[in-house]
Amino acid sequence: MKRTEKREQTRSRILQAAVRLFQENGFEQTTVQEITASAEVAKGTFFNYFPTKESIMRALAEDRLLRVQEYMQTYKVRRMTLTSRIRAYAGYFLGDFHLNPSLTRHIWRHVVEHDSALLSTWEQLLESGVRQQEINPSISPHRWAHIINSYFYYQLSIGTETEREELLHHFMQLVHAGIDSMLLKGGQETMEKIIVLGGGYGGMRFLQRVLGSDLPQDVDITLVDKLPYHCMKTEYYALAAGTESDHDVRVPFPDHSRLKIHFGTIDHIDMENQMVVMSDSSSLPYDKLVAGLGSVDNFHGVPGAEEHSYSIQSMEATRRTYEAISNLPPKAAVSIVGAGLSGVELASELRESRADLHVRLFDRGETILPMFPKRLSNYVQNWFEKHDVEVISNSDITTVTEEGLYNHEDWIQSEAIIWTAGIQPNKIIRDLDTEKDRKGRIILTPHHHLTNDENIFIVGDCASLPHAPSAQLAEGQAEQIATIMKKRWKNESLPETMPEIKLKGTLGSLGKKHGFGVMGGTAKAAVTGRVARLLKSGVLWMYKNHSGV
């Protein structure tokens, strides 16, 4: 082994041991002797790398600061708006906050107090804002970097937040209050502002179709999302079960010079003033809005379901579900409520991931997957019987508690309960003052916009359409919205109706080797076994590798 490699390994071992002890015992209570014992190095070796215990905190922060450029490149942070870039950087610096909030606060307070590296980072961000004509060129980036640094330090010092997102929210409130006055708002009044809410399947397909050479020069497009990448929601079941990693279900947003990305959480849509209001109280004006915010769990009023069950409806929720499943002891019972496609795929994947667990799948109907041909339903049922997944038909979950659930009047103990029993529109969409169907989905015109506002388009799970919500349906909708948008740009008349969205079929997996599905149009062909699984793997590969512009 080369000498430099050995030194790096020793340094890494000391850092890992220190972090582990800091998390377990606290920074102040941990001694250098304990660190060296845990890292299995001599005390003198420790001081060869770190002159003091405090210097470990600086090293941890420096590692993050050194990797920030790679992070910026990977997630196209340069294409975000200035405030989104500031938030993205702060979020990256606080990446380990969930592991130990107190230690993370301690580390970055120490950096602000004793180092100029973080200050330089803010200054570079502000200088990029000047170069990109986002902020007034007369401002002093150095002076404002000190201000942003003080905001960050203030929130780290006085905040009581236990969640990273909450801390970032409060930090960005201070940032917006401070720098709004220097942001350049002029010069773009003549631009048509199109905002895409959510980088899901519908939002991605819309961007792919409009970000071409025929995009008019007077059109400004901004994508708004909480995360710096698209998440393949159809694969969350595998992430929750632990058979795929977080990175496996990510796809970069389209890389295009005409696309801006605003990173943050949406609070509500102000239809009257045509503004998207963010949770940090900032707002984004729009001329056209394409809302693809997706769905959330529908707990159907079941007492305790929301409080005591896990979910796979969002990336954050799926990560929590994965963590809960991973921490279960052998022979623990997992109850999956809802035997639709998500529930079936999760149950099968969990059987492969944790064969030691007792997996129950609660089905409200007589037979599993009634929307599929009977042969497929029987195939899936037989697979579950063969692999010891207990399917409970005709179930009715009446109450959920921390220790288990009631099916009708029967008590069933469960160490983890995962809810996949129905969805409803995102609250932001539910709160819109417009026409809705009995499920709360938005009723649209044939051109996919609100019946009372032709400037707001709804794409995906929140739209009231003849078909059940799916990624395919959202993409089909998005393509038609892109066509409508292009016709408007060219002042062409719109057709009275749009063509029917044709779905290619549905594929589901039963672990990594088997699957099921229906393919084709009206004359659907059923496929099962390895062929179905290979088809699904191929579709996923194509999507991940051909989703750019």
XYZ file of all heavy atoms in Angstrom, residues 111-166:
466
model
N -16.658 26.200 13.011
C -16.111 26.648 11.729
C -16.306 28.151 11.553
O -15.393 28.865 11.138
C -16.763 25.870 10.561
C -16.387 26.485 9.220
C -16.335 24.409 10.605
N -17.511 28.631 11.842
C -17.783 30.069 11.687
C -16.886 30.881 12.607
O -16.372 31.943 12.228
C -19.272 30.375 11.975
C -19.519 31.879 11.958
C -20.166 29.691 10.941
N -16.645 30.382 13.808
C -15.856 31.125 14.791
C -14.357 31.125 14.488
O -13.664 32.098 14.802
C -16.085 30.522 16.193
C -17.483 30.767 16.747
C -17.746 29.931 17.995
O -16.869 29.117 18.357
O -18.842 30.065 18.577
N -13.859 30.035 13.862
C -12.410 29.887 13.754
C -11.873 29.742 12.333
O -10.668 29.568 12.150
C -11.953 28.654 14.560
C -12.272 28.742 16.016
N -13.408 28.186 16.562
C -11.603 29.336 17.039
C -13.424 28.423 17.867
N -12.339 29.118 18.182
N -12.721 29.807 11.332
C -12.259 29.540 9.971
C -12.982 30.446 8.999
O -14.112 30.866 9.252
C -12.525 28.062 9.618
C -11.680 27.591 8.456
O -11.885 28.111 7.355
O -10.829 26.700 8.647
N -12.351 30.734 7.880
C -12.963 31.604 6.859
C -13.478 30.819 5.658
O -13.987 31.419 4.703
C -11.934 32.631 6.374
O -10.828 31.977 5.764
N -13.373 29.471 5.689
C -13.745 28.663 4.518
C -15.227 28.797 4.194
O -15.612 28.941 3.025
C -13.389 27.199 4.760
N -16.074 28.758 5.211
C -17.514 28.880 4.960
C -17.854 30.277 4.463
O -18.678 30.449 3.551
C -18.297 28.558 6.233
C -19.819 28.513 6.079
C -20.236 27.472 5.046
C -20.480 28.212 7.425
N -17.218 31.272 5.041
C -17.419 32.657 4.595
C -17.057 32.794 3.119
O -17.776 33.433 2.342
C -16.562 33.598 5.448
C -16.676 35.091 5.142
C -18.064 35.604 5.498
C -15.611 35.863 5.909
N -15.964 32.170 2.709
C -15.546 32.222 1.302
C -16.569 31.561 0.393
O -16.783 31.996 -0.738
C -14.187 31.534 1.131
O -13.186 32.204 1.865
N -17.198 30.500 0.897
C -18.211 29.808 0.096
C -19.404 30.718 -0.177
O -19.886 30.809 -1.314
C -18.684 28.535 0.817
O -17.569 27.664 1.009
C -19.754 27.814 0.010
N -19.900 31.396 0.859
C -21.025 32.332 0.657
C -20.611 33.441 -0.316
O -21.399 33.852 -1.168
C -21.459 32.956 1.985
C -21.886 32.031 3.077
C -21.488 32.058 4.377
C -22.813 30.934 2.984
N -22.083 31.069 5.103
C -22.919 30.363 4.276
C -23.559 30.388 1.951
C -23.739 29.273 4.549
C -24.382 29.286 2.218
C -24.470 28.741 3.496
N -19.377 33.925 -0.177
C -18.916 35.006 -1.047
C -18.879 34.553 -2.508
O -19.275 35.300 -3.414
C -17.528 35.476 -0.593
C -17.058 36.735 -1.309
C -15.808 37.334 -0.676
O -15.400 36.877 0.416
O -15.245 38.262 -1.277
N -18.420 33.339 -2.743
C -18.392 32.810 -4.109
C -19.799 32.684 -4.690
O -20.027 32.963 -5.871
C -17.696 31.448 -4.124
C -16.202 31.516 -3.872
C -15.592 30.146 -3.607
O -16.208 29.122 -3.889
N -14.396 30.132 -3.036
N -20.749 32.275 -3.854
C -22.137 32.172 -4.318
C -22.680 33.543 -4.720
O -23.352 33.685 -5.754
C -23.015 31.565 -3.212
C -22.975 30.046 -3.071
C -23.760 29.612 -1.845
C -23.533 29.375 -4.306
N -22.411 34.541 -3.908
C -22.892 35.890 -4.212
C -22.212 36.444 -5.460
O -22.851 37.124 -6.277
C -22.662 36.802 -3.010
C -23.537 36.489 -1.792
C -23.006 37.204 -0.560
C -24.990 36.878 -2.044
N -20.940 36.156 -5.619
C -20.232 36.605 -6.829
C -20.832 35.955 -8.079
O -20.950 36.597 -9.128
C -18.745 36.275 -6.722
C -17.999 37.170 -5.727
C -16.579 36.699 -5.469
O -16.252 35.551 -5.881
O -15.805 37.451 -4.851
N -21.242 34.682 -7.961
C -21.894 34.028 -9.099
C -23.242 34.678 -9.392
O -23.654 34.776 -10.552
C -22.084 32.530 -8.826
O -23.103 32.299 -7.869
N -23.921 35.147 -8.338
C -25.185 35.856 -8.534
C -24.994 37.162 -9.286
O -25.837 37.548 -10.105
N -23.889 37.839 -9.025
C -23.579 39.071 -9.766
C -23.293 38.741 -11.227
O -23.811 39.397 -12.140
C -22.373 39.801 -9.127
C -21.957 40.978 -10.004
C -22.720 40.288 -7.715
N -22.481 37.698 -11.459
C -22.119 37.323 -12.832
C -23.345 36.904 -13.647
O -23.443 37.188 -14.834
C -21.094 36.185 -12.821
C -19.703 36.597 -12.382
C -18.694 35.514 -12.720
N -19.007 34.250 -12.077
C -18.595 33.899 -10.866
N -17.853 34.737 -10.152
N -18.907 32.725 -10.345
N -24.277 36.232 -12.992
C -25.475 35.756 -13.686
C -26.592 36.797 -13.691
O -27.716 36.498 -14.064
C -25.959 34.460 -13.046
C -24.972 33.316 -13.196
C -25.430 32.043 -12.491
O -26.618 31.777 -12.374
N -24.480 31.245 -12.030
N -26.256 38.014 -13.242
C -27.198 39.145 -13.265
C -28.467 38.858 -12.456
O -29.559 39.243 -12.827
C -27.558 39.507 -14.710
C -26.347 39.929 -15.532
C -26.714 40.309 -16.955
O -27.747 39.897 -17.480
N -25.859 41.096 -17.587
N -28.266 38.148 -11.327
C -29.389 37.891 -10.424
C -29.480 38.949 -9.334
O -30.561 39.177 -8.786
C -29.235 36.512 -9.778
C -29.354 35.344 -10.723
C -29.180 34.016 -10.000
O -30.192 33.473 -9.524
O -28.037 33.533 -9.896
N -28.333 39.539 -8.975
C -28.334 40.535 -7.915
C -27.628 41.801 -8.394
O -26.854 41.783 -9.352
C -27.675 40.003 -6.621
C -26.238 39.543 -6.896
C -28.497 38.901 -6.015
C -25.523 39.051 -5.661
N -27.914 42.875 -7.712
C -27.378 44.190 -8.072
C -25.854 44.172 -8.069
O -25.231 43.806 -7.069
C -27.906 45.221 -7.054
C -27.703 46.637 -7.535
O -26.651 46.962 -8.080
N -28.711 47.466 -7.335
N -25.200 44.559 -9.182
C -23.733 44.522 -9.256
C -23.050 45.502 -8.313
O -21.839 45.397 -8.085
C -23.446 44.875 -10.720
C -24.653 45.609 -11.186
C -25.815 45.016 -10.444
N -23.790 46.445 -7.758
C -23.182 47.425 -6.854
C -23.004 46.895 -5.430
O -22.347 47.514 -4.618
C -24.034 48.701 -6.811
O -25.304 48.423 -6.240
N -23.581 45.734 -5.134
C -23.475 45.208 -3.763
C -22.078 44.638 -3.541
O -21.377 44.256 -4.476
C -24.555 44.149 -3.473
C -24.251 42.837 -4.237
C -25.928 44.639 -3.810
C -23.804 41.712 -3.402
N -21.692 44.528 -2.275
C -20.398 43.957 -1.907
C -20.595 42.498 -1.511
O -21.139 42.214 -0.433
C -19.788 44.729 -0.736
O -18.715 44.011 -0.180
N -20.174 41.531 -2.362
C -20.320 40.120 -1.990
C -19.641 39.786 -0.670
O -20.159 38.974 0.100
C -19.657 39.375 -3.165
C -19.794 40.319 -4.324
C -19.640 41.687 -3.727
N -18.490 40.430 -0.395
C -17.778 40.139 0.853
C -18.613 40.550 2.064
O -18.733 39.794 3.031
C -16.440 40.870 0.863
C -15.617 40.592 2.085
N -15.014 39.372 2.319
C -15.309 41.387 3.157
C -14.379 39.415 3.475
N -14.531 40.625 3.996
N -19.203 41.735 1.985
C -20.013 42.222 3.108
C -21.254 41.347 3.308
O -21.578 40.963 4.437
C -20.423 43.674 2.841
C -21.366 44.250 3.885
C -21.610 45.733 3.635
N -22.624 46.266 4.518
C -23.925 46.308 4.230
N -24.348 45.846 3.060
N -24.791 46.806 5.079
N -21.921 41.001 2.205
C -23.136 40.200 2.327
C -22.819 38.755 2.710
O -23.644 38.077 3.323
C -23.950 40.271 1.041
C -24.791 41.515 1.004
C -24.487 42.699 0.412
C -26.051 41.689 1.649
N -25.501 43.612 0.629
C -26.472 43.016 1.382
C -26.880 40.871 2.412
C -27.669 43.529 1.853
C -28.081 41.383 2.888
C -28.456 42.697 2.611
N -21.627 38.288 2.382
C -21.231 36.949 2.828
C -21.151 36.901 4.351
O -21.546 35.914 4.982
C -19.888 36.568 2.206
N -20.630 37.985 4.946
C -20.596 38.069 6.412
C -22.011 38.045 6.987
O -22.251 37.428 8.037
C -19.878 39.353 6.842
C -18.387 39.223 6.886
N -17.719 38.591 7.908
C -17.431 39.633 5.999
C -16.421 38.619 7.685
N -16.210 39.248 6.531
N -22.935 38.708 6.318
C -24.320 38.753 6.804
C -24.940 37.354 6.756
O -25.573 36.905 7.726
C -25.138 39.756 5.969
C -24.626 41.182 6.217
C -26.620 39.654 6.300
C -25.244 42.232 5.307
N -24.767 36.658 5.622
C -25.322 35.305 5.505
C -24.662 34.376 6.515
O -25.325 33.532 7.140
C -25.146 34.778 4.065
C -26.010 35.590 3.101
C -25.505 33.294 3.974
C -25.814 35.239 1.648
N -23.361 34.533 6.720
C -22.650 33.731 7.715
C -23.222 33.962 9.111
O -23.375 33.026 9.907
C -21.164 34.084 7.688
C -20.268 32.875 7.852
O -20.645 31.777 7.482
N -19.077 33.086 8.395
N -23.562 35.214 9.382
C -24.132 35.535 10.701
C -25.530 34.943 10.847
O -25.901 34.487 11.930
C -24.172 37.047 10.918
O -25.096 37.669 10.044
N -26.313 34.920 9.747
C -27.631 34.277 9.785
C -27.485 32.792 10.116
O -28.229 32.237 10.939
C -28.344 34.410 8.435
C -28.781 35.800 8.056
C -28.989 36.136 6.712
C -29.013 36.777 9.009
C -29.406 37.404 6.339
C -29.420 38.054 8.650
C -29.616 38.366 7.307
O -30.024 39.619 6.942
N -26.522 32.149 9.448
C -26.291 30.718 9.645
C -25.875 30.446 11.089
O -26.403 29.539 11.747
C -25.206 30.256 8.670
C -25.121 28.768 8.479
C -26.230 28.028 8.120
C -23.910 28.106 8.645
C -26.151 26.650 7.925
C -23.806 26.731 8.459
C -24.932 26.010 8.100
N -24.955 31.250 11.593
C -24.472 31.082 12.961
C -25.597 31.324 13.971
O -25.737 30.586 14.949
C -23.323 32.051 13.223
C -22.670 31.879 14.573
C -21.746 30.861 14.787
C -22.975 32.733 15.632
C -21.143 30.694 16.021
C -22.390 32.571 16.873
C -21.467 31.537 17.059
O -20.887 31.371 18.292
N -26.395 32.341 13.708
C -27.516 32.673 14.593
C -28.482 31.493 14.712
O -28.878 31.105 15.816
C -28.248 33.901 14.045
C -29.511 34.278 14.793
C -29.457 35.008 15.975
C -30.758 33.911 14.302
C -30.619 35.353 16.658
C -31.923 34.255 14.970
C -31.854 34.969 16.148
O -33.001 35.316 16.808
N -28.827 30.884 13.548
C -29.785 29.783 13.578
C -29.186 28.546 14.235
O -29.879 27.810 14.933
C -30.246 29.454 12.152
C -31.619 28.813 12.084
C -32.689 29.698 12.706
O -32.825 30.865 12.393
N -33.432 29.117 13.640
N -27.890 28.331 14.039
C -27.230 27.204 14.695
C -27.170 27.398 16.205
O -27.232 26.429 16.973
C -25.801 27.048 14.154
C -25.637 26.591 12.701
C -24.193 26.775 12.258
C -26.060 25.137 12.537
N -27.050 28.642 16.644
C -26.839 28.936 18.064
C -28.124 29.005 18.863
O -28.196 28.466 19.974
C -26.077 30.257 18.209
O -24.837 30.195 17.548
N -29.139 29.668 18.302
C -30.354 29.904 19.105
C -31.502 28.975 18.734
O -32.471 28.843 19.460
C -30.829 31.370 18.993
C -31.236 31.710 17.549
C -29.743 32.309 19.482
C -32.703 31.591 17.257
N -31.395 28.285 17.575
C -32.488 27.427 17.121
C -32.648 26.196 18.000
O -31.688 25.701 18.593
N -33.868 25.692 18.061
C -34.153 24.474 18.831
C -34.678 23.367 17.919
O -35.236 22.387 18.394
C -35.188 24.770 19.928
O -36.386 25.292 19.313
C -34.653 25.768 20.932
N -34.488 23.545 16.604
C -35.044 22.589 15.653
C -34.397 21.204 15.810
O -33.204 21.090 16.076
C -34.822 23.066 14.207
C -35.415 24.434 13.904
C -34.429 25.568 14.179
O -33.357 25.294 14.765
O -34.748 26.713 13.810
N -35.199 20.169 15.650
C -34.690 18.798 15.688
C -34.655 18.178 14.295
O -34.107 17.095 14.118
C -35.557 17.919 16.603
O -36.920 17.963 16.148
C -35.491 18.401 18.041
N -35.242 18.867 13.311
C -35.244 18.390 11.934
C -34.468 19.371 11.053
O -34.589 20.588 11.213
C -36.675 18.253 11.404
C -37.526 17.249 12.152
C -37.086 15.812 11.910
O -36.485 15.561 10.842
O -37.332 14.963 12.779
N -33.685 18.826 10.135
C -32.882 19.669 9.246
C -33.747 20.615 8.430
O -33.418 21.800 8.271
C -32.037 18.802 8.316
C -31.070 19.608 7.455
C -30.354 18.754 6.447
N -31.254 18.290 5.400
C -30.867 17.944 4.178
N -29.593 17.979 3.855
N -31.734 17.531 3.289
N -34.871 20.118 7.887
C -35.721 20.943 7.033
C -36.264 22.147 7.789
O -36.393 23.237 7.232
C -36.877 20.110 6.467
C -36.465 19.125 5.389
C -35.823 19.815 4.195
O -36.394 20.800 3.707
O -34.739 19.372 3.770
N -36.576 21.951 9.063
C -37.092 23.053 9.876
C -36.009 24.109 10.090
O -36.265 25.315 9.998
C -37.587 22.511 11.219
C -38.322 23.545 12.060
C -38.772 22.991 13.403
O -38.449 21.823 13.716
O -39.426 23.741 14.143
